Amino acid sequence: MLVKLLPDNVARNWDTIKFAISESLPPVAGEGLTKMNNILEALLAGSLECWVSVFDEKIKAIGTTQVLHDAISDTHNLCIYSFYSYTNMGNSEWAEELNTLKRYAESRGCVRIIAYTKIPALVQLIQRLGGETDVTVLSINI
């Protein structure tokens, strides 16, 4: 079950959350010295949301999302900014968590969910669910 944490829950559990986020940051995060402080600030302000996947009262995964506004198309997208799994999650578990995020995204007026991943099994899952996976994020350090 995927549960959205409130900012006070984030503050109380920051050490655990910080580890999961730092292990799964997308390439756009860069290497700035203040990035984790900026992430915590965004989580506490509510502009970045923290999600926890729980099963049998144990944390299975921690993720973050952010609603992004594309000014050109005037649309909103839910970006899965990071997602870290402590265990091997099967396709049905990922699909269940994704369905929770889809419902949340719809409630926030989003037209799609976007994400970054290096995990081939997740790319294949999104393809099986009818998602688009033909776009590649290109990243060059400067």
Side-chain angles (χ1 to χ4, degrees):
M1 172 196 294
L2 194 62
V3 178
K4 183 179 168 207
L5 296 183
L6 297 173
D8 61 321
N9 295 116
V10 171
R12 281 196 303 271
N13 298 288
W14 177 238
D15 288 339
T16 301
I17 294 166
K18 180 180 178 180
F19 171 79
I21 293 172
S22 67
E23 291 294 309
S24 60
L25 282 175
V28 296
E31 297 303 322
L33 297 175
T34 62
K35 72 179 169 188
M36 293 311 292
N37 287 336
N38 296 341
I39 289 170
L40 176 58
E41 184 178 311
L43 287 166
L44 295 178
S47 60
L48 186 68
E49 301 100 0
C50 185
W51 299 84
V52 177
S53 178
V54 179
F55 183 74
D56 287 338
E57 298 183 27
K58 293 181 183 174
I59 295 175
K60 292 180 69 175
I62 295 176
T64 57
T65 61
Q66 181 178 36
V67 174
L68 301 177
H69 178 252
D70 182 273
I72 304 302
S73 64
D74 194 26
T75 59
H76 292 87
N77 300 293
L78 184 69
C79 175
I80 300 174
Y81 190 72
S82 66
F83 215 96
Y84 179 80
S85 176
Y86 290 97
T87 64
N88 287 329
M89 292 175 57
N91 282 345
S92 62
E93 293 168 301
W94 281 114
E96 180 182 328
E97 308 306 32
L98 185 59
N99 280 329
T100 299
L101 291 177
K102 284 170 79 174
R103 289 189 301 275
Y104 175 74
E106 185 177 34
S107 77
R108 296 288 310 270
C110 297
V111 297
R112 74 184 50 81
I113 295 175
I114 58 175
Y116 310 94
T117 190
K118 294 180 183 178
I119 304 170
L122 288 180
V123 173
Q124 292 168 357
L125 173 63
I126 296 302
Q127 289 170 337
R128 281 195 299 277
L129 295 174
E132 297 177 38
T133 61
D134 54 345
V135 175
T136 302
V137 173
L138 305 175
S139 172
I140 300 172
N141 289 338
I142 300 174

